[in-house]
């Protein structure tokens, strides 16, 4: 699963610390997410999408979707 | 916060017990004893690292543990338990071949389990969790 957290976070002028505090996780979790080393729970994915003012599908790209687009 | 203090207490209890052990042996430690002290020192450093990162998160206004840290802990625990079964089997085989005092074997077993857990935690943290 790929994601656009870093890109959308930059668009909202949010630091990793800001995003972590707003979704209630540690900064380390945001780092892991951006590096693609962790797939979040549905609750966390929902919270991140809400903070970034978009939908889950816009933030997280499943491999099946990647195959279709490529 | 309470859990962080509990971790500090446990780490200090281990250091205190090691100190008492060292004192009662009159500071005459065998080569194996030196290795054991080294391993205990490394485990103490590992505990301090975990406590320090928890305090750092709390100071930043973040939770001390979240879904990622809990998953890493859970996965490391289950993997360490699985590996430990084989470690104990190895120890039993060793004790059959070279009989030793049971308390030494139990001490080595507990120390080995702690090392296995620390290694599993570090490896899982380094590799990340992708839910299959």
């Amino acid at each position: 699963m790929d994601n656009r957290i870093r890109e959308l976070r930059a668009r909202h002028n949010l630091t990793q610390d800001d995003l972590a505090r707003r979704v209630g996780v540690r900064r380390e979790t945001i780092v892991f997410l951006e590096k693609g080393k962790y797939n979040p729970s549905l609750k966390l994915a929902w919270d991140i999408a809400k903070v970034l003012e978009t939908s889950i599908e816009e933030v997280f790209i499943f491999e099946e979707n990647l195959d279709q687009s490529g | 916060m309470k859990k962080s203090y509990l971790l500090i207490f446990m780490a200090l209890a281990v250091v205190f017990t090691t100190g008492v052990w060292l004192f009662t042996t009159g500071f005459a430690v065998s080569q194996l004893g030196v290795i054991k002290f080294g391993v205990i020192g490394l485990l103490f450093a590992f505990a301090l690292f975990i406590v320090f990162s928890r305090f750092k998160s709390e100071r930043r206004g973040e939770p001390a543990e979240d879904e990622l840290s809990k998953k890493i802990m859970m996965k490391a625990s289950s993997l360490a338990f699985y590996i430990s079964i084989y470690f104990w089997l190895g120890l039993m085989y060793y004790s059959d071949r070279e009989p030793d005092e049971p308390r030494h074997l139990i001490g080595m077993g507990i120390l080995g389990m702690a090392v296995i857990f620390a290694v599993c935690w570090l490896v899982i943290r380094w590799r990340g969790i992708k839910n299959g």
Side-chain angles (χ1 to χ4, degrees), chain A residues 1-3 5 29-45 48 60-63, chain B residues 67-68 71 127-132:
Chain A
M1 190 167 73
D2 205 358
N3 70 70
I5 295 176
T29 304
I30 304 296
V31 173
F32 270 62
L33 283 168
E34 289 187 356
K35 281 185 180 172
K37 285 169 86 176
Y38 176 55
N39 291 343
S41 66
L42 184 58
K43 164 86 170 65
L44 180 56
I48 289 171
F60 298 96
I61 305 135
F62 289 93
E63 271 163 33
Chain B
E67 61 173 60
L68 174 64
K71 270 187 190 170
R127 288 185 61 185
I129 294 178
K130 288 201 166 184
N131 302 327

Side-chain angles (χ1 to χ4, degrees), chain A:
Chain A
M1 190 167 73
D2 205 358
N3 70 70
R4 294 171 55 215
I5 295 176
R6 192 191 299 259
E7 178 196 331
L8 294 166
R9 183 172 59 74
R11 206 178 283 175
H12 284 78
N13 284 325
L14 288 170
T15 61
Q16 289 177 332
D17 269 326
D18 296 333
L19 183 60
R21 262 194 297 271
R22 286 178 70 172
V23 295
V25 294
R26 304 170 78 189
R27 193 181 72 92
E28 188 188 33
T29 304
I30 304 296
V31 173
F32 270 62
L33 283 168
E34 289 187 356
K35 281 185 180 172
K37 285 169 86 176
Y38 176 55
N39 291 343
S41 66
L42 184 58
K43 164 86 170 65
L44 180 56
W46 176 268
D47 288 343
I48 289 171
K50 209 169 154 188
V51 170
L52 299 175
E53 294 169 353
T54 185
S55 62
I56 290 181
E57 296 96 314
E58 284 292 315
V59 185
F60 298 96
I61 305 135
F62 289 93
E63 271 163 33
E64 199 181 7
N65 294 352
L66 281 174
D67 291 344
Q68 281 169 5
S69 61

Side-chain angles (χ1 to χ4, degrees), chain B residues 80-130:
Chain B
F81 175 75
Y82 183 72
I83 296 170
S84 295
I85 292 171
Y86 291 96
F87 177 70
W88 276 106
L89 276 174
L91 265 185
M92 281 163 72
Y93 175 76
Y94 168 78
S95 69
D96 265 356
R97 300 209 132 207
E98 291 192 32
D100 198 356
E101 277 189 62
R103 64 192 178 95
H104 285 163
L105 282 172
I106 292 170
M108 272 167 69
I110 293 170
L111 212 54
M113 283 176 79
V115 171
I116 289 168
F117 173 75
V119 171
C120 287
W121 190 88
L122 287 169
V123 168
I124 290 170
R125 193 170 179 271
W126 175 65
R127 288 185 61 185
I129 294 178
K130 288 201 166 184

